Amino acid sequence: SEGTCGDDAFLASLFLLLGRKRMFDHAINLLEEILAVRARTFDVSCVPRFAQMVLGLSSRKLACFCRVLALVVFEPERSDPNQPLPAVELLETYARNGRVISAIDRNHGVLLAIPGLLDRLVRLLAVPVLSPATTNALTAAGGLLQFAGGGQPGGLPTPDVLDELEAALEHQQEEEVENLTAAAAAAVRGGGA
């Protein structure tokens, strides 16, 4: 029995909490734990305003959210090798009853219908992983922020401060892309003259 934690209404409410700044980190961790042990795939079409919630996630939060997405768009692996593969079962069901839409199929449809989501996910792949030196610098900055009243115990920036840092970095990256684009265009014009 999945109990209260496995209840679809409870999971839908956790998804809704992802849109709240102060609740995101707690809700995403709880969602990941519950979905990882759940016997059946959760249908995200049950979540009201799911697309708006996903579109409202910052890049950092979207990266964290990808762990949850993996749990709702892929078939769980079977621990018993003697059981037939889920794909075989699915084909047998299709042959007997016609096309049956699974929760995974619905989840694919919901995610593909969110405008710009695939572009954002691809851009996340280009984000460099922080080096130990950068991590140390952020930890030091977190200590300064805590001293100034903007951090949390342990010297790490709060999620709100991280979101502000992320927004500043994204803005800086956009400016760098614009500058590189302008430089490339100038080089092309200069090379053609």
Side-chain angles (χ1 to χ4, degrees):
S1 167
E2 293 176 343
T4 304
C5 288
D7 180 58
D8 286 352
F10 176 72
L11 288 171
S13 67
L14 285 177
F15 273 96
L16 291 174
L17 289 176
L18 296 177
R20 309 212 40 200
K21 273 187 175 182
R22 298 195 186 275
M23 299 300 295
F24 178 84
D25 292 313
H26 301 293
I28 197 76
N29 289 331
L30 189 53
L31 266 172
E32 185 178 7
E33 292 295 326
I34 293 170
L35 292 172
V37 297
R38 207 172 128 103
R40 59 189 168 84
T41 302
F42 178 72
D43 186 350
V44 297
S45 67
C46 299
V47 179
R49 301 178 308 282
F50 180 78
Q52 290 84 355
M53 181 275 300
V54 172
L55 289 172
L57 295 176
S58 67
S59 295
R60 178 188 75 83
K61 290 177 180 177
L62 183 60
C64 293
F65 186 64
C66 285
R67 296 190 320 252
V68 168
L69 284 181
L71 297 169
V72 297
V73 298
F74 295 112
E75 291 182 5
E77 294 181 14
R78 303 257 174 142
S79 58
D80 185 359
N82 295 325
Q83 287 186 336
L85 295 173
V88 173
E89 289 178 7
L90 189 60
L91 289 174
E92 290 171 355
T93 303
Y94 289 171
R96 276 187 308 234
N97 305 330
R99 177 95 165 95
V100 174
I101 305 294
S102 70
I104 292 172
D105 293 333
R106 282 190 298 279
N107 291 345
H108 289 167
V110 168
L111 292 169
L112 290 172
I114 299 174
L117 179 61
L118 288 178
D119 290 336
R120 286 188 68 200
L121 292 173
V122 169
R123 281 196 311 257
L124 277 179
L125 293 173
V127 174
V129 176
L130 295 179
S131 68
T134 305
T135 304
N136 291 339
L138 277 176
T139 303
L144 292 174
L145 288 168
Q146 181 184 354
F147 180 74
Q152 59 187 356
L156 297 175
T158 62
D160 290 342
V161 171
L162 286 174
D163 287 341
E164 289 175 27
L165 286 171
E166 176 189 17
L169 286 172
E170 283 179 356
H171 180 69
Q172 180 182 359
Q173 288 174 343
E174 288 174 7
E175 287 179 356
E176 289 175 8
V177 168
E178 289 173 8
N179 292 339
L180 289 172
T181 303
V188 169
R189 283 192 303 267

